[in-house]
PDB file of all heavy atoms in Angstrom:
ATOM      1  N   ARG A 190     103.860  84.587  64.478  1.00 94.00           N
ATOM      2  CA  ARG A 190     103.642  85.907  63.873  1.00 94.00           C
ATOM      3  C   ARG A 190     102.568  86.723  64.615  1.00 94.00           C
ATOM      4  O   ARG A 190     101.999  87.657  64.058  1.00 94.00           O
ATOM      5  CB  ARG A 190     103.287  85.765  62.387  1.00 94.00           C
ATOM      6  CG  ARG A 190     104.386  85.092  61.571  1.00 94.00           C
ATOM      7  CD  ARG A 190     103.967  84.880  60.139  1.00 94.00           C
ATOM      8  NE  ARG A 190     103.784  86.125  59.432  1.00 94.00           N
ATOM      9  CZ  ARG A 190     103.222  86.215  58.223  1.00 94.00           C
ATOM     10  NH1 ARG A 190     102.770  85.124  57.621  1.00 94.00           N
ATOM     11  NH2 ARG A 190     103.095  87.395  57.633  1.00 94.00           N
ATOM     12  N   ILE A 191     102.330  86.379  65.876  1.00 95.00           N
ATOM     13  CA  ILE A 191     101.418  87.156  66.712  1.00 95.00           C
ATOM     14  C   ILE A 191     102.213  87.649  67.929  1.00 95.00           C
ATOM     15  O   ILE A 191     102.869  86.861  68.620  1.00 95.00           O
ATOM     16  CB  ILE A 191     100.203  86.325  67.175  1.00 95.00           C
ATOM     17  CG1 ILE A 191      99.394  85.855  65.952  1.00 95.00           C
ATOM     18  CG2 ILE A 191      99.321  87.151  68.113  1.00 95.00           C
ATOM     19  CD1 ILE A 191      98.244  84.920  66.310  1.00 95.00           C
ATOM     20  N   TYR A 192     102.147  88.956  68.184  1.00 96.00           N
ATOM     21  CA  TYR A 192     102.976  89.571  69.225  1.00 96.00           C
ATOM     22  C   TYR A 192     102.102  90.271  70.255  1.00 96.00           C
ATOM     23  O   TYR A 192     101.092  90.910  69.913  1.00 96.00           O
ATOM     24  CB  TYR A 192     103.941  90.591  68.604  1.00 96.00           C
ATOM     25  CG  TYR A 192     104.883  89.960  67.597  1.00 96.00           C
ATOM     26  CD1 TYR A 192     104.499  89.809  66.259  1.00 96.00           C
ATOM     27  CD2 TYR A 192     106.141  89.511  67.991  1.00 96.00           C
ATOM     28  CE1 TYR A 192     105.345  89.223  65.346  1.00 96.00           C
ATOM     29  CE2 TYR A 192     106.994  88.922  67.079  1.00 96.00           C
ATOM     30  CZ  TYR A 192     106.598  88.773  65.762  1.00 96.00           C
ATOM     31  OH  TYR A 192     107.445  88.175  64.852  1.00 96.00           O
ATOM     32  N   GLY A 193     102.496  90.127  71.509  1.00 95.00           N
ATOM     33  CA  GLY A 193     101.820  90.826  72.585  1.00 95.00           C
ATOM     34  C   GLY A 193     102.685  91.972  73.099  1.00 95.00           C
ATOM     35  O   GLY A 193     103.911  91.826  73.224  1.00 95.00           O
ATOM     36  N   PHE A 194     102.042  93.119  73.393  1.00 95.00           N
ATOM     37  CA  PHE A 194     102.739  94.319  73.899  1.00 95.00           C
ATOM     38  C   PHE A 194     102.042  94.803  75.162  1.00 95.00           C
ATOM     39  O   PHE A 194     100.812  94.758  75.259  1.00 95.00           O
ATOM     40  CB  PHE A 194     102.687  95.461  72.880  1.00 95.00           C
ATOM     41  CG  PHE A 194     103.468  95.220  71.634  1.00 95.00           C
ATOM     42  CD1 PHE A 194     102.900  94.513  70.579  1.00 95.00           C
ATOM     43  CD2 PHE A 194     104.769  95.680  71.512  1.00 95.00           C
ATOM     44  CE1 PHE A 194     103.624  94.283  69.420  1.00 95.00           C
ATOM     45  CE2 PHE A 194     105.489  95.458  70.358  1.00 95.00           C
ATOM     46  CZ  PHE A 194     104.917  94.758  69.308  1.00 95.00           C
ATOM     47  N   ILE A 195     102.826  95.299  76.095  1.00 95.00           N
ATOM     48  CA  ILE A 195     102.235  95.951  77.261  1.00 95.00           C
ATOM     49  C   ILE A 195     103.165  97.055  77.745  1.00 95.00           C
ATOM     50  O   ILE A 195     104.396  96.915  77.690  1.00 95.00           O
ATOM     51  CB  ILE A 195     101.957  94.949  78.406  1.00 95.00           C
ATOM     52  CG1 ILE A 195     101.164  95.630  79.530  1.00 95.00           C
ATOM     53  CG2 ILE A 195     103.250  94.352  78.947  1.00 95.00           C
ATOM     54  CD1 ILE A 195     100.583  94.663  80.539  1.00 95.00           C
ATOM     55  N   MET A 196     102.570  98.163  78.176  1.00 95.00           N
ATOM     56  CA  MET A 196     103.303  99.214  78.873  1.00 95.00           C
ATOM     57  C   MET A 196     102.475  99.587  80.095  1.00 95.00           C
ATOM     58  O   MET A 196     101.259  99.776  79.991  1.00 95.00           O
ATOM     59  CB  MET A 196     103.537 100.429  77.982  1.00 95.00           C
ATOM     60  CG  MET A 196     104.436 101.483  78.637  1.00 95.00           C
ATOM     61  SD  MET A 196     104.836 102.875  77.522  1.00 95.00           S
ATOM     62  CE  MET A 196     106.073 102.141  76.479  1.00 95.00           C
ATOM     63  N   ILE A 197     103.137  99.651  81.252  1.00 93.00           N
ATOM     64  CA  ILE A 197     102.440  99.894  82.519  1.00 93.00           C
ATOM     65  C   ILE A 197     103.102 101.053  83.253  1.00 93.00           C
ATOM     66  O   ILE A 197     104.329 101.174  83.268  1.00 93.00           O
ATOM     67  CB  ILE A 197     102.463  98.633  83.414  1.00 93.00           C
ATOM     68  CG1 ILE A 197     101.600  97.536  82.791  1.00 93.00           C
ATOM     69  CG2 ILE A 197     101.977  98.939  84.828  1.00 93.00           C
ATOM     70  CD1 ILE A 197     101.595  96.243  83.567  1.00 93.00           C
ATOM     71  N   ASP A 198     102.273 101.883  83.864  1.00 90.00           N
ATOM     72  CA  ASP A 198     102.735 102.963  84.735  1.00 90.00           C
ATOM     73  C   ASP A 198     102.099 102.743  86.107  1.00 90.00           C
ATOM     74  O   ASP A 198     100.887 102.894  86.267  1.00 90.00           O
ATOM     75  CB  ASP A 198     102.321 104.315  84.146  1.00 90.00           C
ATOM     76  CG  ASP A 198     102.889 105.503  84.936  1.00 90.00           C
ATOM     77  OD1 ASP A 198     103.397 105.281  86.054  1.00 90.00           O
ATOM     78  OD2 ASP A 198     102.811 106.632  84.434  1.00 90.00           O
ATOM     79  N   VAL A 199     102.930 102.337  87.075  1.00 87.00           N
ATOM     80  CA  VAL A 199     102.429 102.144  88.439  1.00 87.00           C
ATOM     81  C   VAL A 199     102.301 103.519  89.096  1.00 87.00           C
ATOM     82  O   VAL A 199     103.239 104.315  89.086  1.00 87.00           O
ATOM     83  CB  VAL A 199     103.378 101.250  89.264  1.00 87.00           C
ATOM     84  CG1 VAL A 199     102.857 101.093  90.687  1.00 87.00           C
ATOM     85  CG2 VAL A 199     103.538  99.888  88.599  1.00 87.00           C
ATOM     86  N   CYS A 200     101.139 103.808  89.650  1.00 80.00           N
ATOM     87  CA  CYS A 200     100.885 105.142  90.207  1.00 80.00           C
ATOM     88  C   CYS A 200     101.716 105.379  91.464  1.00 80.00           C
ATOM     89  O   CYS A 200     101.901 104.481  92.287  1.00 80.00           O
ATOM     90  CB  CYS A 200      99.409 105.292  90.531  1.00 80.00           C
ATOM     91  SG  CYS A 200      98.362 105.210  89.049  1.00 80.00           S
ATOM     92  N   GLY A 201     102.201 106.619  91.602  1.00 76.00           N
ATOM     93  CA  GLY A 201     102.989 106.992  92.769  1.00 76.00           C
ATOM     94  C   GLY A 201     104.472 106.994  92.467  1.00 76.00           C
ATOM     95  O   GLY A 201     104.912 106.705  91.348  1.00 76.00           O
ATOM     96  N   LYS A 202     105.255 107.329  93.484  1.00 76.00           N
ATOM     97  CA  LYS A 202     106.710 107.353  93.372  1.00 76.00           C
ATOM     98  C   LYS A 202     107.301 106.651  94.582  1.00 76.00           C
ATOM     99  O   LYS A 202     106.726 106.650  95.659  1.00 76.00           O
ATOM    100  CB  LYS A 202     107.234 108.790  93.318  1.00 76.00           C
ATOM    101  CG  LYS A 202     106.822 109.565  92.076  1.00 76.00           C
ATOM    102  CD  LYS A 202     107.407 110.969  92.120  1.00 76.00           C
ATOM    103  CE  LYS A 202     106.921 111.813  90.958  1.00 76.00           C
ATOM    104  NZ  LYS A 202     107.408 111.323  89.675  1.00 76.00           N
ATOM    105  N   GLY A 203     108.462 106.060  94.395  1.00 75.00           N
ATOM    106  CA  GLY A 203     109.130 105.410  95.522  1.00 75.00           C
ATOM    107  C   GLY A 203     109.475 103.968  95.226  1.00 75.00           C
ATOM    108  O   GLY A 203     109.168 103.427  94.149  1.00 75.00           O
TER     109      GLY A 203
END
Side-chain angles (χ1 to χ4, degrees):
R190 299 176 66 191
I191 299 175
Y192 300 86
F194 292 85
I195 188 167
M196 186 175 283
I197 292 178
D198 186 348
V199 179
C200 296
K202 294 181 185 294

